[in-house]
Amino acid sequence: MLAALLHTLVQTPSELSPPPSPQASLETADHPVELRTLNFDMAQSCEPHEPRVLKKQISGRTPVNLGQERDIWKPLVQSTTNLSEVHSIRSVFEFRTFDPEGAIFYGDTKDGEDWFMLSLKDGIPEMQISKEGTIVSVAGGPKLNDGKWHLLELSNQGKFVILEVDRAKALVVGLGSNGADDLLSGQIRLALGGVLIDTKKMIVQFQPQMDGCVQEGSWLNLTAPWETEAEELWPCYQNIQPGSYFPGTGFAVFNTSVFSRDAEQDGLKIEIWGHFSQMDGTILSMKAPGQELLLALEADNNTKAVTLTFGNDKIMMAEDFNRLALIFQKDLLEVLMENDQSEARRLSVASEEQPAYLGTLAGGRLAIGGLLGEGEEHVGSHYLTGCLQKIQVQGKDLDLDLAVKHASVSSYSCPAEIMKGHID
C-alpha cells in the first residue's frame, strides 16, 4: 500500500542490537490534525487473518465499488507481491464518496506485523501506521465525502509517509527508528475496502463499510492483477447524488427504542425526502414482535401512487410529491406532504388499540425499504427499488450503517439516473 508500503515499515534494525522505540513526527497543510501513538505488544495480539482462496483477477485500474456486499472488514480486492519486485514507493488512485466513514486502502509486510491503513472518519482522511510494535494515528486534510472524484497519492520519502489530495500535500507522517536498516525482503500485501489484521490492533476504531469508489489506480510499480472473491464487481456509476439507494433486494431495520423514548409525550416524527413517483415497493413499515403490522408506506411505479396503510385505514396519495412526514402522537397519526399543514391528514387511534400502538413506537421495529415479516428475525419482502434522498427521525438524519442492513443497500449515494431532477 504505500509503496513498499512504507519503505520504512518493512525495514528492520540490525540483528546485533535490540530494536529501539520508533519516533513519530508529522506535518500538515493548512488543516487540523490529530496525532495518536500507542505502544503495542504484537505477541499479545491476535494473528493476522488467514489468506482466503481468491477467484477472479482484475486490473489495478479497474473501478472498484467498495460498498459491494461482503463481510464488513473483509477487503473487496487484494494483492500479494514479493518485496524484491517493488521499485516504486508511490501509489496513486482516484476516490469518490459521500460516505463520511469507512476503510479505503490497506497494506502490510511481515505477515501483518507492520501495516498501514487509510480510512475516512467524519469525512477527513486518517492514516494509522504500525511499525515494530508502535502505532501512530494521524487525521487531517480536506473533507473528501463531497461526491467528487479526488486524486489521492500516497508515497514514501525516506522516513516520511506523505498523503497528497488533488496534488496538494495533506499529511506528512514521520515514523522511523535509530537502528540500522536491513534490505527489504518477504512479501507485501495490499487491499481495498478492508484489513488483513485483527481490528483490535488499531488505535482508532471506525465503521469499515465504505459507500465509495476507487478507480484508475497505479499501485507501486506493480503490474500484477488484483484478486477478488466476487464473481462480478458492482458498477461505479458515472454520476451519483446524495441519498440511500435500494435496489429491490433488501432493507434496513432499526429498533424504535433507539429514537422514540419521548414518543408518548412529544410524538415520533419520521420524514422522508425523495422522488416518490419513481419508487416501487415498500418505503417504510413498522411492527412489534408478536403484533400485527402497524404501518406500511408503499409506492407503485406503475400507477405513480403512494399508499399508506395504518391498521385498517388507508390513505392514497396520487399527487407527485418529494417530501413526506409521519408524526405519531399519543392518539393519532398525522400525515404531511411537502410540509403543508393545510393539507394534513389525521388518522385516529382507538383507545383499545393504544397499548399496542404505543408499544410498537417504544419497542418495535422500523424498516426502511421493505415490508416487515413475522417472527423475531429480520425477515422482509416487497423491497423498495429507488432512492431516498434523506431520512430523518426526530429531526436528525438517519444513518443506515447503524441499522441491521442488507449489504445491497447503499447508505450514502444513489445513481443520478434514479433521481431525475433536483429535490429541494
Side-chain angles (χ1 to χ4, degrees), residues 250-265:
F251 60 174
V253 180
F254 292 86
N255 192 313
T256 57
S257 63
V258 302
F259 41 65
S260 62
R261 297 173 185 171
D262 299 325
E264 292 190 41
Q265 293 77 25

Side-chain angles (χ1 to χ4, degrees), residues 92-346:
V92 182
F93 58 95
E94 296 178 4
F95 174 68
R96 180 190 68 182
T97 190
F98 283 113
D99 195 338
E101 186 170 342
I104 303 174
F105 184 28
Y106 168 91
D108 69 31
T109 59
K110 304 178 187 175
D111 293 325
E113 288 187 17
D114 292 343
W115 53 267
F116 169 91
M117 179 76 233
L118 175 65
S119 61
L120 285 190
K121 196 172 181 67
D122 297 324
I124 296 173
E126 178 148 32
M127 292 195 293
Q128 298 188 60
I129 302 172
S130 172
K131 181 183 177 184
E132 299 168 14
T134 293
I135 304 175
V136 177
S137 173
V138 186
K143 285 199 170 188
L144 301 183
N145 61 325
D146 56 3
K148 299 178 181 179
W149 285 107
H150 293 281
L151 182 67
L152 272 59
E153 177 178 323
L154 288 160
S155 62
N156 176 237
Q157 297 180 18
K159 296 184 181 295
F160 293 90
V161 179
I162 300 171
L163 170 66
E164 292 187 7
V165 176
D166 298 325
R167 305 188 187 282
K169 190 178 294 184
L171 286 174
V172 179
V173 184
L175 182 65
S177 66
N178 295 324
D181 293 324
D182 288 335
L183 295 176
L184 301 178
S185 62
Q187 292 185 320
I188 181 171
R189 301 187 298 180
L190 308 179
L192 296 178
V195 300
L196 299 170
I197 56 170
D198 190 320
T199 58
K200 294 178 182 178
K201 294 181 179 181
M202 298 187 298
I203 296 178
V204 179
Q205 300 296 319
F206 59 90
Q207 292 289 334
Q209 303 101 313
M210 170 53 69
D211 180 4
C213 279
V214 169
Q215 67 176 14
E216 298 298 330
S218 175
W219 313 100
L220 311 183
N221 61 290
L222 305 176
T223 58
W226 291 75
E227 295 179 310
T228 179
E229 290 185 3
E231 294 184 4
E232 296 293 335
L233 292 178
W234 288 6
C236 287
Y237 293 98
Q238 182 175 359
N239 298 301
I240 59 173
Q241 295 186 21
S244 298
Y245 178 55
F246 295 80
T249 54
F251 60 174
V253 180
F254 292 86
N255 192 313
T256 57
S257 63
V258 302
F259 41 65
S260 62
R261 297 173 185 171
D262 299 325
E264 292 190 41
Q265 293 77 25
D266 303 325
L268 173 65
K269 185 176 183 179
I270 301 173
E271 288 189 274
I272 302 172
W273 286 257
H275 206 41
F276 287 85
S277 64
Q278 295 177 3
M279 302 178 194
D280 191 70
T282 304
I283 301 169
L284 177 150
S285 63
M286 292 182 69
K287 184 181 182 300
Q291 301 290 332
E292 296 292 326
L293 190 71
L294 175 67
L295 177 144
L297 181 68
E298 300 171 283
D300 189 325
N301 189 246
N302 294 319
T303 64
K304 308 299 181 184
V306 176
T307 302
L308 174 70
T309 302
F310 182 62
N312 296 322
D313 295 319
K314 285 184 183 290
I315 295 178
M316 181 77 72
M317 294 166 276
E319 307 91 337
D320 188 13
F321 59 97
N322 297 326
R323 181 179 179 182
L324 182 69
L326 304 176
I327 304 171
F328 298 85
Q329 299 180 24
K330 186 174 182 178
D331 56 358
L332 63 84
L333 169 65
E334 184 175 19
V335 183
L336 291 176
M337 290 189 299
E338 307 293 4
N339 205 31
D340 186 353
Q341 287 286 346
S342 66
E343 297 292 331
R345 306 185 193 187
R346 296 175 178 84

Side-chain angles (χ1 to χ4, degrees), residues 389-420:
Q389 186 190 34
K390 185 166 62 173
I391 312 161
Q392 288 189 342
V393 177
Q394 303 295 60
K396 298 181 179 179
D397 290 345
L398 194 61
D399 184 354
L400 296 188
D401 279 349
L402 301 179
V404 177
K405 176 175 71 73
H406 191 271
S408 65
V409 177
S410 297
S411 298
Y412 293 96
S413 67
C414 295
E417 53 266 34
I418 302 297
M419 297 180 65
K420 298 177 182 177

